[in-house]
Amino acid sequence: MGLPYSDKVLDHFMNPRNAGEMENADATATEGSPACGDQIKLFLKVNPVTRVIEDIKFKSYGCASNIATASIITEMAKGKTLEEAKAINWQTASENLGGLPAVKIHCAVLAVDAVRSAIDNYEQEHGLIREKAPTDEKRIRERLKHVINPLTGLDVMQVNFIRSIEITDGIINVHVNMGKEHQFSGNILEEIKERLEPLWDVKEVRVIFKNEG
Ligand code: FES
């Protein structure tokens, strides 16, 4: 039995706007949903002078609601400044879609989080942040929230996947509870780097697997 989706949701699901990848994106972000283990990746092209989002694309590994919300949110964000785009929330996205079933709200939240993270990454990389406090373990743990282990669909921060974190002169060592030979070690490595490298004062991110000391 299907969920009661509006025509608009179905339309955006069947004909998603802005779906796909982007080469030479100015910022990207991957977000995972702790509620369902699904993921979405976002790509941004930003005008360096006006800070207007000139292009935006998404790749969803989530459900119909996630695809539909990502589609409408990217449509809403295109042509807006970063500041304006930050104000987009799941409520407006859902309203513009004619409503979402309550059990599917986390799918819209996932899409909104991805847009906000991509904007945040852009701002970090371009030094557009107001407070340049040095990166500490708290910020790193915050940024690694919702990294999903593809094998289990679980949030790595919630399952003590990270053994320890060291920060020395802009170099971050993240020790993880996973062997290098694991089939998803490459995904995890990529995602941890993607989340930490944009931080304004970070020079290098190293992920140390279990058997590497
Ligand atoms: Fe996972 Fe919708 S159920 S994104």
Side-chain angles (χ1 to χ4, degrees), residues 36 38 62-63 66 104 106-107 110:
C36 63
D38 289 332
C63 68
N66 182 251
K104 290 278 147 188
H106 72 267
C107 318
L110 178 61

Side-chain angles (χ1 to χ4, degrees), residues 48-179:
V49 179
T50 59
R51 308 292 183 200
V52 163
I53 297 176
E54 290 182 334
D55 200 10
I56 178 164
K57 288 253 180 319
F58 75 94
K59 253 172 85 178
S60 165
Y61 306 91
C63 68
S65 300
N66 182 251
I67 293 171
T69 335
S71 168
I72 200 130
I73 286 177
T74 51
E75 219 174 36
M76 288 158 73
K78 209 173 184 168
K80 291 218 166 70
T81 62
L82 297 177
E83 282 309 316
E84 290 164 349
K86 275 189 221 171
I88 297 171
N89 56 27
W90 69 262
Q91 287 91 338
T92 6
S94 165
E95 267 164 37
N96 286 358
L97 282 171
L100 280 171
V103 293
K104 290 278 147 188
I105 296 215
H106 72 267
C107 318
V109 171
L110 178 61
V112 170
D113 281 352
V115 174
R116 290 189 179 164
S117 297
I119 293 175
D120 186 40
N121 285 346
Y122 181 89
E123 292 184 332
Q124 290 278 347
E125 280 177 339
H126 290 80
L128 300 176
I129 39 171
R130 241 163 264 143
E131 275 177 51
K132 287 193 170 174
T135 295
D136 57 6
E137 181 157 347
K138 190 165 160 256
R139 182 188 284 166
I140 292 176
R141 290 192 177 269
E142 189 59 36
R143 282 219 145 211
L144 294 182
K145 246 182 25 202
H146 303 174
V147 170
I148 303 290
N149 177 347
L151 186 65
T152 56
L154 293 173
D155 182 331
V156 299
M157 288 311 289
Q158 281 175 0
V159 292
N160 292 325
F161 179 85
I162 310 287
R163 284 196 292 156
S164 60
I165 294 166
E166 295 149 11
I167 311 153
T168 344
D169 296 333
I171 299 174
I172 303 179
N173 288 336
V174 183
H175 297 261
V176 299
N177 268 325
M178 177 186 256

